[in-house]
Structure formats: C-alpha cells, structure tokens
Amino acid sequence: MQENVIDQSKDITILELLDRVLNKGVVITGDIVISVADIDLVYLGLKLILTSVETMQQRRLTTIKPNQPQK
Amino acid sequence: MEKIIYAIIANAGKTEQVNDYVTNIRGITGSNLYALHFNEISVAVSDFQSSKFIISKELAIDFARVIEELSQQLTVLPIRFGTVVKSDEIVKQLLTDNYNAFRENLLKVENKHEFGLKVIWDYDKCSEKIRSKVESEEINAGKYFSKSTINTNYLLEKLKKHRLEDAVLKHVELLIEEISRFLAQINPDCKFKKMLSQNIILDGVFLVEKNMKSEFIEAIEALKQQHDDLHFLLTGPWPPYSFVEIQIDK
Amino acid sequence: MSENKILLNSVPADEIKEAIENIENTVTSRINATPDNADHGLAQLVLTLIELIRKLVEKQAIRRVEGGSLTEDEIERLGETLMKLENKMEELKKIFNLTDEDLNLNLGPLGDLM
C-alpha cells in the first residue's frame, strides 16, 4: 500500500513534468522548425479554423437584439 | 547537423560563465549542450538527429531534466519540447529577431518559481447543495415553451444542465477569488483553468518570488484548512513553463 | 529526475487515479502520434473538434431560448436540430470507438473557448 503511494507520487510528478514540457514553454512553429511531431501542424491548422468559427459566431450574436419583433 | 533548442537564458553580459555552466550539463541523447549568445540573452542548444530518434516519454523527461538543471543557476524561458531547427544560424536568427520579447519575458520570470495547484472534489458529494438549489429554482417551463413536445422537452433538459453548469462554474469562480485573497500578500501572477473535468475543478499556476516560497506553501495550506470537502495537489517549484508568453511562427 | 515535486497532496487514492488519467490525456496525444495510430489519432482530433463546436452551438442555443426572442417554430426547429446533432455525435463515437474521455483532448488555447 505504501509502495502504491510512492508510485503514484512518481507518476504525478512525471505527468506534471510532461504536461509542462510538451504543452507549455515557448512555441516556435513554421517553416524553420523541423517537425518532429507532425501533430503540431494539425493543431496549428485547427487553431486557425476555430478562431474564425468563434469570430463568426460572435458576429452573428451581436447582430441579434432581444427585442426585435418576432416573425 | 540539426539542433534542438532547450531554453532562452538571461546572461547579464557574463557569456563566459554561461558557457561554462551550460557545457557542464549533459544534453539529451548523450549530446553536448552548448550556448549561443546575442547581447544579453543566450540560448541552450545541442545537436539532434531528428531522423534517428522517436519522440518518447523518456526523451521528453530527459529534456525537462536539462531545463531543470539550467534553471538551478540561470533565469530561463523553457522552449517546448521537440523544437528542432536546421542550424546554429537559424537559432541565432531567432534570438535576434525576438530579442525584445525574450528580454522582457526573462525580466518577468527573474527570481521566480512556478507552482501548480489542482483542486479536486467528488462531484456527486460536493455539488449536492448546488444541484438542489438549481433544481428548486423551478424552471418554469411555461416561461420558455408554450407546449410540451419531444423537442421542447429536450431543450428543457439542456436548459437545466446548463443552469447547473453555470452554478458550478460560479462556485469555482468564488474559490478563485478566495485563493487570490489568501495570496494577497504574495501577489503572484496566476492563471486558472476551470473545470478540467467534473472532479478537477481548478488548475492554477502561480509565479512566485523565490524568497516567498514558504509563505506561498503556508498560504495554500491555510486555504486547505478552510475546505474539508476539497482536495489539493500542489506541485513545484518548476521553471516558468506556464509564464512564457511567446509564440513564434516563421 | 528524482526530485519529488509534490508539496501538498490531500487527494485520496480513489480520486487521484482520475486526476492522473486526466493529465495523461493531455500528454499522450503528443507522444503517441505514430503512423500506426495516426488514423485513430486523427479521428479523435476531428471528433474532439466537432464536439467542441457542438457544445458551443448548444450553449448559444440555450442562451437564445432563455433570451425569449424565439418563436414557437424556431424553438421546435432548434430542439430538433440539437437533438439530431447530439445523436449524430453518438453515432460517430460508436463508429470510431471513442469514449467521452477520448474526446477530452487538450486543445490548448482552443479549450478555453468553452
């Protein structure tokens, strides 16, 4: 039981570490970077798409006013 | 030979000292770590043959080890793992092109540690009060729907679900405010993510002055005393991974 | 790296497992992207994205219902569409053998849209 706790502590430490080193820090993307993990390209593309979707949705929302006459 | 980039470093003009320190740290895959410089900033780099290595957990952990060792004596901005470029020239170009941004960010994290706090609860137990409150707020169906159909009933269920989610979110926001109060004397930079899952209600990162480390830990422990129903996972000190605000796309 | 970074841990054993799995989800997607599981990874990514959009749409729809500016017909159509969307999502999850946990990918700054 005691061993389990120590293992879990190690697991947690390693995971927190991995989360930081894989998902945080300075992000450099583009042609100069040799893609070691191609998943980055997919994420970059996604980022562009989703930002435009959100912008579109926001624009749509702001043109609708609550007290417009009902159709 | 391809290069992997580890971290941006503040050199305070002491490039020789930085060289000495950096070259004494082992790079990943047994490579030699070395530094390149431009004015008051440097960068830690090593050779890396990307075709030869698979991105693995072990490699990432070793990379983090290098950053950890660098941060023992230097102010660093960690680079995300897996950033490989063609040559030293490109690395130098990155330094010069982004000099001001790097310098500013380095100043911001100087003499500080990062800490991470996850707050966890048992959703079923702890949201009891919130749930009963939302349910008692009789959502007057008639207010929104003039008749009861499959479609309106579906919407009604969603309405209730969203009301509950909003109420839980508000509860978490109150917790964030409370954390800020407990940390008022220390006043660290902080970032919060709410509701990572139903049970992980808060994920916060804090940038704390190194000499305030004990006070910070004490403050979190005091906060914990106030909440028997919540569980806390505090980790650190870490290099300032979460407080790097630079994204470069070239 | 032997240094233990845990300063405080009051999370009971049964609840810590979930916390561990949650962080695991945010890192495995980046480490395990190999050609073998690339297909699965891609489906996971695409469906996570679609699910995010669906949730956003659902949220906005409910806000509009609460706003009270919709006609009876619009409400009916909204409910029907949302229901179909959700059902479609369930279908896709089954086809690609993905669970709700699988669709909780870390989308970085995108995740904050929710």
Side-chain angles (χ1 to χ4, degrees), chain C residues 27-52:
Chain C
V27 292
T28 50
S29 58
R30 289 206 72 221
I31 288 187
N32 295 344
T34 68
D36 301 327
N37 59 23
D39 282 347
H40 182 266
L42 192 59
Q44 192 182 7
L45 204 56
V46 172
L47 287 183
T48 298
L49 186 55
I50 295 176
E51 179 66 2
L52 178 65

Side-chain angles (χ1 to χ4, degrees), chain B residues 114-171:
Chain B
E114 171 177 322
F115 292 91
L117 177 69
K118 285 191 164 73
V119 182
I120 295 167
W121 73 3
D122 181 332
Y123 180 78
D124 296 323
K125 270 192 247 156
C126 301
S127 66
E128 188 65 57
K129 259 191 243 153
I130 303 176
R131 267 183 289 156
S132 45
K133 184 161 176 257
V134 169
E135 263 156 52
S136 72
E137 261 173 33
E138 240 177 86
I139 294 187
N140 187 354
K143 181 176 172 202
Y144 301 108
F145 312 116
S146 50
K147 55 183 175 180
S148 168
T149 66
I150 297 180
N151 299 324
T152 60
N153 287 339
Y154 176 85
L155 285 174
L156 186 60
E157 283 313 303
K158 292 300 174 184
L159 192 68
K160 285 189 195 163
K161 187 187 86 164
H162 281 262
R163 286 277 171 87
L164 180 57
E165 278 173 10
D166 283 345
V168 170
L169 217 61
K170 271 216 183 76
H171 189 80

Side-chain angles (χ1 to χ4, degrees), chain A:
Chain A
M1 201 41 198
Q2 183 62 21
E3 275 167 17
N4 251 351
V5 175
I6 295 178
D7 279 341
Q8 276 181 348
S9 291
K10 267 208 213 132
D11 283 347
I12 294 170
T13 304
I14 288 180
L15 284 172
E16 287 280 326
L17 187 82
L18 284 175
D19 183 36
R20 282 175 167 77
V21 91
L22 294 173
N23 298 318
K24 303 183 178 187
V26 178
V27 177
I28 304 176
T29 51
D31 293 335
I32 61 168
V33 178
I34 296 163
S35 268
V36 192
D38 288 323
I39 199 129
D40 287 332
L41 294 173
V42 187
Y43 275 109
L44 201 61
L46 279 179
K47 200 166 140 184
L48 293 171
I49 297 171
L50 262 164
T51 316
S52 17
V53 168
E54 231 236 342
T55 313
M56 266 164 34
Q57 281 187 326
Q58 278 172 352
R59 278 211 213 110
R60 247 195 294 137
L61 280 180
T62 53
T63 59
I64 293 158
K65 297 179 178 77
N67 28 14
Q68 252 177 8
Q70 307 215 322
K71 290 185 202 142

Side-chain angles (χ1 to χ4, degrees), chain B residues 9-16 18 36-43 92 95-96 99-100 103 106:
Chain B
I9 302 168
N11 65 37
K14 303 186 177 135
T15 56
E16 274 319 300
V18 169
L36 298 170
H37 314 279
F38 177 69
N39 290 359
E40 307 215 328
I41 67 178
S42 312
V43 55
K92 284 215 184 102
L95 270 191
T96 53
Y99 183 72
N100 288 326
R103 264 208 90 210
L106 281 164

Side-chain angles (χ1 to χ4, degrees), chain B residues 68 144 146-147 149 151-152 154-155 158-159 161-163 197 199 224 231-237, chain C residues 5-10 12 15 18-19 22 31 58-59 62 65-66 72 75-76 79-80 82-83 86:
Chain B
E68 183 72 35
Y144 301 108
S146 50
K147 55 183 175 180
T149 66
N151 299 324
T152 60
Y154 176 85
L155 285 174
K158 292 300 174 184
L159 192 68
K161 187 187 86 164
H162 281 262
R163 286 277 171 87
S197 73
N199 290 333
K224 172 172 160 280
H231 308 302
F232 291 74
L233 176 62
L234 181 66
T235 61
Chain C
K5 296 285 193 180
I6 300 179
L7 298 166
L8 171 64
N9 182 4
S10 68
E15 286 172 61
E18 191 205 323
N22 187 277
I31 288 187
E58 186 185 284
K59 217 188 214 174
I62 295 299
V65 169
E66 282 181 310
E72 212 173 279
I75 287 180
E76 283 296 321
E80 193 183 348
L82 284 182
M83 219 181 355
E86 192 174 358

